[in-house]
Amino acid sequence: MTATIPAPTSAPAAGPRRPVSSAPPPADGVETFDSLDPATGDLVGVHPVASAEDVASAVEQARESAQWWSALDFAERADHLLTWRSVLTRRLPQLAELVHRETGKPHADATLEAGLAIDHIAWAARNAKKVLGRRSVAPGLLMANQAASLEYRPFGVVGVIGPWNYPVFTPMGSIAYALAAGNSVVFKPSEYTPGVGQWLADTLTEVVGGRPLLQCVTGLGATGHALCTSGVDKLAFTGSGATGKKVMAACAETLTPVIIEAGGKDSLIVDEDADLPAAAEAALWAGMANAGQTCIGTERVYVHRAVFAQFVDEITEQAKGLYAASAGGGEGAKIGPITMPSQVDVIRSHVQDAVDQGATVVMGGPDAVGERFVQPTILTFVPETSTEMTEETFGPTLAINPVDSMDEAVERTNATRYGLAGAVFSKKQGEEIARQVRSGMTSVNSVIAFAGVPSLPFGGVGESGFGRIHGADGLREFTYAKSITRQRFRPLLDLTTFARDEKTEKAFGLVLTLLHGGRKTLRDLR
Ligand code: NAD
């Protein structure tokens, strides 16, 4: 039996159907689905559709491995995770090839993505103890007789559901941090990149002597739903907002906490004093790399009117020679195919809507949207009401509009229900502008830099989701705070007893007035 995922919009190009997955073929009678190369339609691998029972069994095994894993100390867990990151580094070409085959992105981009993920594994492993380990905290004057301590304990089993656009980097933001915090993980990769998910799980299994510490359950939406309702202790979802809502609803049944990392409509703001060639280079890359299929990619550009024409000339000049490879090759092409065939129609409709509403086509346009490949498209004077400005396009398109001031740029940037990331190019007031943008992350005078800084939390606001991966927040996200007080001596004012007398109550009132009854504010004390 073979399940169907949306097929490419055109027939596969003639050529070898050459599976590259190292996974053994599923047993007879097991429902399966195919992973296809989006550039050619060639078969990359055949994977089982994990049923609700399969998912439940994986979670049960994960519970056992979580007991072993959480009983190790931070240093022992770090040893395993750092070994894993070395294995991934040494096998990077193999991993990049699989990412390239399943997503269609250029090999070098796949290497970059996986490389950044490896850096995150190392950071999470090395910093877990410092962030989560047990520490004493001040008990305060009222409770001076208590020793207070705090530590962050792992939940147990974490479910991770991933997308296809960055099949290593994105789920690793949850997987590495959940593992470093002491959890085991059951991972449901996108149905477009099951081979990558299985490969990651297999390599960690090898490192930990066959223990099911990171298991991969492959399948479609139903398998993801089964993971949400399987009794995992936390669910980290990355994907579209529409699916995120379904995930939340399913997890709500059991009060399973969730992290939602959803889509965005990020802007890049260019001030009049910006380095224009650098801003154009960054906008072009952030808009077009990975064929625009980047949650934190640039989709809108707001440029100060004083330098608007110059900026458009500059980016148009730089975009010459940039093109998407057509099926069957394209030496020098830096843009791959659209991985998910159904997205092609979304991209076409956004570009068409912009043009219908009066946008100027500087490059590309509706005709640039092919069946598998979309050629770089630059539009200017795009009406803010068009879907090109309001919805996530997820294709190699940039909408560039002039603004009269940086206040207007911020206002337009924030006039969206999303709030994932963004960038600002300005010599004098970059950070000031960045702080006014309502989003989880902003790069000043570069793009996407925050994603490569492991100590910075990653996540959005509004319909871009909530919760954080990466950094100390990302480690804490996969734990619960455990607070302990230990009485060192009987308190002078014993309040938690029925033997409490009037004298004690009066004394308590007096102490409280002394501590908090004054009218001094922090400002007075400075
Ligand atoms: P998607 O929502 O279609 O699928 C994501 C995952 O959810 C897949 O594994 C899918 O099988 C699974 N799924 C589908 N139905 C489900 C259900 N009912 N219950 C549970 N799981 C279910 O998203 P996609 O197309 O794979 O990814 C692209 C989207 O992801 C874009 O919107 C992009 O912006 C977003 N994204 C966000 C981030 C971030 O960090 N914020 C990172 C990468 C991608």
Side-chain angles (χ1 to χ4, degrees):
M1 255 197 300
T2 302
T4 46
I5 56 174
T9 47
S10 65
R17 284 171 63 83
R18 184 165 52 93
V20 298
S21 168
S22 58
D28 281 351
V30 171
E31 191 183 359
T32 60
F33 67 104
D34 294 346
S35 158
L36 303 176
D37 181 331
T40 60
D42 286 353
L43 184 72
V44 182
V46 180
H47 297 267
V49 175
S51 64
E53 291 73 37
D54 297 332
V55 173
S57 143
V59 171
E60 203 178 307
Q61 288 186 58
R63 228 163 257 301
E64 280 171 35
S65 61
Q67 277 192 8
W68 160 71
W69 185 242
S70 64
L72 300 183
D73 62 26
F74 284 106
E76 289 167 323
R77 284 199 291 265
D79 272 354
H80 286 299
L81 291 175
L82 292 172
T83 305
W84 187 36
R85 71 84 157 84
S86 304
V87 170
L88 296 188
T89 308
R90 287 197 299 271
R91 296 185 198 167
L92 196 50
Q94 199 186 343
L95 176 58
E97 174 62 12
L98 196 48
V99 172
H100 164 66
R101 291 296 304 277
E102 287 199 316
T103 65
K105 72 176 71 179
H107 209 281
D109 288 356
T111 304
L112 173 66
E113 172 196 344
L116 288 178
I118 286 168
D119 203 38
H120 276 283
I121 300 175
W123 192 91
R126 291 194 178 115
N127 288 277
K129 184 176 182 189
K130 192 170 79 190
V131 176
L132 308 174
R134 193 163 172 226
R135 82 195 68 146
S136 297
V137 297
L141 274 179
L142 280 178
M143 293 289 167
N145 65 317
Q146 302 284 341
S149 68
L150 167 66
E151 67 184 308
Y152 292 87
R153 304 285 309 152
F155 280 114
V157 181
V158 170
V160 175
I161 297 179
W164 46 264
N165 62 336
Y166 289 88
V168 181
F169 180 79
T170 290
M172 196 59 89
S174 296
I175 293 170
Y177 288 77
L179 290 170
N183 304 279
S184 61
V185 173
V186 178
F187 173 35
K188 151 60 183 103
S190 165
E191 50 272 47
Y192 292 96
T193 53
V196 174
Q198 191 60 56
W199 191 95
L200 290 173
D202 289 349
T203 49
L204 182 58
T205 306
E206 229 180 284
V207 166
V208 296
R211 285 190 167 89
L213 181 60
L214 168 62
Q215 295 171 83
C216 174
V217 286
T218 52
L220 286 67
T223 303
H225 176 79
L227 187 56
C228 296
T229 54
S230 64
V232 290
D233 302 296
K234 181 142 191 173
L235 196 292
F237 169 81
T238 309
S240 64
T243 310
K245 288 173 192 169
K246 292 185 195 162
V247 164
M248 274 186 81
C251 289
E253 293 292 318
T254 46
L255 272 188
T256 303
V258 291
I259 304 171
I260 302 288
E261 299 283 356
K265 190 74 194 173
D266 293 349
S267 87
L268 183 146
I269 294 173
V270 184
D271 201 356
E272 58 185 324
D273 69 346
D275 176 340
L276 291 187
E281 187 181 0
L284 194 61
W285 187 81
M288 312 286 178
N290 206 29
Q293 306 165 112
T294 304
C295 54
I296 48 173
T298 298
E299 300 215 347
R300 302 175 290 159
V301 185
Y302 293 114
V303 186
H304 197 290
R305 203 174 291 280
V307 293
F308 180 74
Q310 215 182 325
F311 177 84
V312 174
D313 285 350
E314 179 68 43
I315 197 166
T316 312
E317 189 56 36
Q318 288 192 23
K320 281 184 187 151
L322 184 69
Y323 62 96
S326 56
E331 272 304 291
K334 298 211 163 95
I335 299 178
I338 300 305
T339 307
M340 191 170 65
S342 60
Q343 196 64 26
V344 172
D345 290 338
V346 175
I347 300 165
R348 185 181 294 112
S349 82
H350 287 191
V351 174
Q352 191 63 56
D353 189 40
V355 172
D356 290 348
Q357 291 199 37
T360 305
V361 176
V362 174
M363 175 178 261
D367 293 345
V369 184
E371 290 192 327
R372 293 165 190 266
F373 294 86
V374 177
Q375 297 304 330
T377 288
I378 297 178
L379 307 171
T380 53
F381 301 102
V382 185
E384 293 287 331
T385 50
S386 71
T387 47
E388 179 71 20
M389 300 306 274
T390 58
E391 308 283 331
E392 186 181 52
T393 305
F394 235 49
T397 75
L398 280 173
I400 311 178
N401 282 349
V403 286
D404 290 329
S405 65
M406 287 300 97
D407 284 347
E408 188 187 346
V410 169
E411 196 182 310
R412 289 195 186 201
T413 290
N414 290 345
T416 169
R417 55 183 205 280
Y418 299 107
L420 192 52
V424 177
F425 277 75
S426 170
K427 286 202 179 102
K428 287 203 199 85
Q429 46 174 358
E431 289 182 46
E432 206 180 308
I433 299 167
R435 292 186 63 215
Q436 296 172 53
V437 172
R438 185 176 179 270
S439 74
M441 297 87 58
T442 303
S443 301
V444 176
N445 296 333
S446 71
V447 283
I448 304 183
F450 47 78
V453 178
S455 49
L456 279 178
F458 184 108
V461 291
E463 288 201 21
S464 290
F466 52 84
R468 291 294 181 267
I469 55 172
H470 301 175
D473 298 67
L475 282 167
R476 283 193 207 105
E477 191 74 56
F478 296 100
T479 62
Y480 61 93
K482 177 72 189 178
S483 305
I484 295 180
T485 54
R486 178 177 52 80
Q487 179 153 299
R488 293 184 296 141
F489 52 85
R490 248 185 118 76
L492 291 176
L493 296 178
D494 207 351
L495 299 167
T496 54
T497 166
F498 288 119
R500 194 174 68 206
D501 56 16
E502 218 175 297
K503 207 172 120 207
T504 308
E505 283 167 5
K506 255 193 175 158
F508 176 64
L510 239 145
V511 172
L512 212 57
T513 309
L514 274 174
L515 284 176
H516 302 298
R519 294 183 54 201
K520 281 199 161 51
T521 64
L522 266 185
R523 199 169 302 179
D524 299 324
L525 296 174
R526 255 187 227 138

